[in-house]
Amino acid sequence: MIVNLSQEHSLVSNWVSELRNVDIQGDRMRFRRNLERIGEIAAYEISKRMPYKVTEVPTPLGTHDSKILEQQPVLATILRAGLPMHNGMLNYFDRADNAFVSAYRKHHRDGSFEISLEYMSCPSLDNRIVIISDPMLATGASIVKTIQYMKDEGTPKEFHVVVAIACSVGIELIHRDCGEDIHIWCGDIDDELTAKGYIVPGLGDAGDLAFGTKNQS
């Protein structure tokens, strides 16, 4: 399942337009907040599809049969760029367990790169709904490696991937290598990648725009 949250106009498409806009990107707080907002909306939409149970809740004047989540999800994010979206999702899934992954592009002198995954901190993933957030789904290699690593660590019940902007190339790779049952939620979808694996028109480097430039090792 693929959901493009900008397919119909909503506030999400406004926030995505601000993320893309070079005249607004210099405001790091606004950039992070827009990523956080998209994470919040995605969390709300995903929650509609999650199993729930009915529980009796006491009120000052009686009781009410209320619907609550049957189980809390595991919120996972790819450091460092994914942190704002992760915080947004955590604002809504405020009792969720959390996982953190250090997947990043390790560049070579010839311009090529490979995905290096050197660290993951996570709870038990067995029979859990896992929601992975990362602002950009470009080649899809980081998400694929993260999902495969998590499957080696346990047996998750379901995967959701939440991104601000996805490239159709990355979506195809995830479904080819990880299965058609991976749910992908996007703020918007672009169709082109540069030779270096950046989304066009995209928005640039989300991690740098959120947190500042870095030395690349």
Side-chain angles (χ1 to χ4, degrees):
M1 183 189 74
I2 303 167
V3 178
N4 181 351
L5 296 170
S6 288
Q7 194 162 9
E8 297 180 3
H9 176 257
S10 72
L11 285 172
V12 171
S13 58
N14 289 29
W15 300 331
V16 172
S17 73
E18 291 189 359
L19 289 173
R20 295 184 189 271
N21 192 328
V22 294
D23 295 325
I24 298 176
Q25 288 181 340
D27 185 342
R28 289 182 187 171
M29 181 181 290
R30 188 169 174 181
F31 189 86
R32 292 192 301 268
R33 179 58 184 139
N34 282 332
L35 289 176
E36 186 178 30
R37 286 166 162 172
I38 294 170
E40 289 171 345
I41 294 299
Y44 171 74
E45 292 297 328
I46 292 170
S47 73
K48 296 178 184 180
R49 300 173 181 267
M50 295 176 64
Y52 67 89
K53 62 183 179 181
V54 177
T55 186
E56 192 175 86
V57 174
T59 80
L61 299 177
T63 60
H64 181 265
D65 290 336
S66 299
K67 297 176 182 177
I68 65 170
L69 287 179
E70 191 174 88
Q71 182 189 57
Q72 293 294 322
V74 175
L75 302 182
T77 196
I78 297 177
L79 301 173
R80 63 182 169 147
L83 288 173
M85 295 190 79
H86 181 86
N87 286 338
M89 303 200 75
L90 197 55
N91 287 342
Y92 279 30
F93 291 117
D94 53 298
R95 295 172 55 204
D97 290 327
N98 294 265
F100 300 93
V101 182
S102 70
Y104 67 96
R105 293 182 177 187
K106 189 173 183 65
H107 292 271
H108 303 298
R109 290 185 178 180
D110 63 2
S112 64
F113 66 86
E114 61 183 289
I115 301 301
S116 178
L117 198 162
E118 298 176 354
Y119 168 86
M120 183 170 76
S121 172
C122 70
S124 171
L125 301 175
D126 291 340
N127 202 38
R128 302 293 297 275
I129 294 174
V130 178
I131 307 174
I132 303 170
S133 59
D134 194 20
M136 310 297 285
L137 172 56
T139 66
S142 294
I143 297 291
V144 165
K145 193 157 190 175
T146 298
I147 291 173
Q148 291 173 340
Y149 192 96
M150 287 183 164
K151 285 183 174 180
D152 288 340
E153 291 294 304
T155 54
K157 176 166 58 177
E158 188 172 282
F159 279 102
H160 295 262
V161 174
V162 177
V163 299
I165 299 178
C167 183
S168 52
V169 173
I171 293 173
E172 291 169 5
L173 182 72
I174 289 174
H175 284 162
R176 187 179 72 236
D177 289 5
C178 300
E180 293 284 342
D181 57 339
I182 305 295
H183 307 290
I184 300 176
W185 303 76
C186 317
D188 206 356
I189 299 176
D190 294 343
D191 292 323
E192 184 181 345
L193 282 182
T194 69
K196 292 186 177 181
Y198 290 99
I199 302 174
V200 178
L203 55 77
D205 189 308
D208 286 359
L209 290 166
F211 299 112
T213 56
K214 59 188 176 299
N215 291 327
Q216 181 65 57
S217 59

